Amino acid sequence: VCVYTDVMSMPAKILLVAIACIIFAAGLIIAMQGERTIGYYKCKHCGEYFTPTFAAYTKGMHTITTRRLQCPSCGKTSWCKKVLAKEEQN
């Protein structure tokens, strides 16, 4: 009986899965870094614009356009809205 799982040896399968996981993780980190650094997050309390740290960005719960972050200016945690450019304050 020939089964497709017998075509490759176990070490080759493990190596291919490990390579696939590394490529997936690298792509995910690059995408997260781009999402974090492109644009700003606006604090709901004080209106300050900021870029979160990678750790804060990763741990923060999120929806499509907002992320729960702590503002470095006022120190309050809120749902901060993602904006691409700072608005001029008058």
Side-chain angles (χ1 to χ4, degrees), residues 25-85:
L28 185 64
I29 289 171
I30 290 168
M32 289 172 63
Q33 183 69 8
E35 169 70 19
R36 181 185 74 86
T37 57
I38 296 171
Y40 303 94
Y41 286 90
K42 183 178 181 181
C43 178
K44 198 177 218 180
H45 297 286
C46 66
E48 185 71 28
Y49 295 94
F50 65 96
T51 302
T53 63
F54 191 81
Y57 175 84
T58 304
K59 290 186 252 180
M61 293 187 303
H62 65 282
T63 62
I64 295 172
T65 59
T66 58
R67 188 169 286 269
R68 188 144 175 90
L69 298 168
Q70 182 177 6
C71 176
S73 180
C74 68
K76 294 182 180 177
T77 301
S78 66
W79 287 96
C80 301
K81 186 167 177 66
K82 175 78 174 192
V83 294
L84 292 179

